[in-house]
Amino acid sequence: MSAHNATVLSLAGLAGLWWLLSGGAPSSWLIGVPVVVMAIFAARRLGATALPGLSLPGLARLLPLFLWESVRGGVDVARRVLATPMRIAPGFATYPLRLHHPGARLLFANSVSLLPGTLAVDLRDDCLAIHALDRDSDFTAELRRVESAVGRVFGEAL
Amino acid sequence: MIDVVAVGLICIGIGFFAAGSIGLLRLPDLHSRLHALTKADNLGLGLVALGIALVTGSLVIALKLILIWLLVLAASAASANLIARHALDRREQP
């Protein structure tokens, strides 16, 4: 994605966000337009436009997976804590990351906390420290699947 | 009919909030408790927001509710991560 396209895209995104927040009142653009321009300027000063070409098909595949996994995550943890005795065996584990882009790693780490039974604890030295609610369950396969989906969004083939 | 679906979704959502709170009380340590808070409460909020969005009859408010859910999702994942990391650091260096 060129810098020009990225600016147009964030302009459209922020304007849409403002429209949503203000409820579409025409006079609100008096404040909205300067705020959108300032937000883009601030984001560029902070280096936030250094995103690679985000793949829209990749995003379209990640979203349903993410939604489904987070529903499973909620159901799983609810069932575990409501059982008597609780079906838990908490412990820490390390997951070696295959992703390289910092943004991709951040998105993956945040997704991990919503997957069934895993919680991202620390991102350090190409490894993700996770806390598992049941350390005997097989969460690695699931993490790899979500990691690949995140990689596709950032154009990283894993 | 839509009202029935909406009330159903909201009730299931409240159930997940309750499960999250029960988990918070029952689970033995900080990291396990974060599991209950992030996962169960997010699903609860998503279902409640979806239920309310169905009955508002306003596209703007429905979109706004989805936006709120996404922002809370991001905020709770980030804050759970910060708490988890800080707690681990403190345990490693007493």
Side-chain angles (χ1 to χ4, degrees):
Chain A
M1 197 184 294
S2 72
H4 181 251
N5 278 349
T7 308
V8 171
L9 204 68
S10 43
L11 196 71
L14 287 173
L17 197 63
W18 181 265
W19 173 79
L20 194 57
L21 290 174
S22 63
S27 60
S28 78
W29 289 104
L30 218 60
I31 297 165
V33 172
V35 166
V36 166
V37 172
M38 281 192 285
I40 289 178
F41 188 70
R44 187 169 294 177
R45 280 292 293 275
L46 294 167
T49 46
L51 280 175
L54 292 181
S55 147
L56 287 180
L59 207 58
R61 280 167 75 175
L62 175 67
L63 266 178
L65 176 69
F66 175 77
L67 279 178
W68 172 240
E69 292 289 331
S70 63
V71 168
R72 280 193 47 213
V75 172
D76 174 75
V77 77
R79 285 180 58 183
R80 282 179 191 277
V81 301
L82 293 177
T84 335
M86 282 188 290
R87 290 184 298 108
I88 57 163
F92 289 93
T94 309
Y95 180 83
L97 284 167
R98 296 174 295 160
L99 292 168
H100 291 289
H101 190 273
R105 287 182 165 187
L106 198 66
L107 179 61
F108 176 62
N110 278 319
S111 311
V112 163
S113 297
L114 297 167
L115 299 187
T118 51
L119 183 81
V121 178
D122 202 1
L123 202 72
R124 199 182 285 168
D125 305 332
D126 296 329
C127 278
L128 184 65
I130 59 173
H131 182 265
L133 205 50
D134 182 356
R135 58 180 181 274
D136 302 321
S137 69
D138 181 31
F139 46 79
T140 314
E142 211 151 1
L143 292 185
R144 289 182 77 91
R145 213 146 46 89
V146 174
E147 191 184 21
S148 301
V150 170
R152 272 197 292 274
V153 175
F154 284 80
E156 276 189 50
L158 301 176
Chain B
M1 183 57 204
I2 275 191
D3 287 357
V4 176
V5 175
V7 170
L9 284 171
I10 293 170
C11 287
I12 299 171
I14 291 171
F16 277 105
F17 269 116
S21 308
I22 292 170
L24 183 67
L25 294 171
R26 284 191 83 190
L27 287 164
D29 59 274
L30 184 144
H31 288 97
S32 303
R33 287 177 172 155
L34 285 175
H35 282 273
L37 282 186
T38 49
K39 291 187 260 284
D41 283 12
N42 276 331
L43 184 54
L45 179 65
L47 291 171
V48 170
L50 198 63
I52 300 172
L54 281 180
V55 288
T56 52
S58 152
L59 183 66
V60 176
I61 294 179
L63 288 173
K64 221 181 251 184
L65 283 165
I66 293 172
L67 180 69
I68 290 170
W69 178 61
L70 287 175
L71 289 175
V72 171
L73 211 69
S76 84
S79 55
N81 177 244
L82 289 174
I83 295 171
R85 183 165 58 194
H86 185 68
L88 191 69
D89 283 349
R90 279 181 59 164
R91 227 169 61 164
E92 279 171 352
Q93 20 179 285

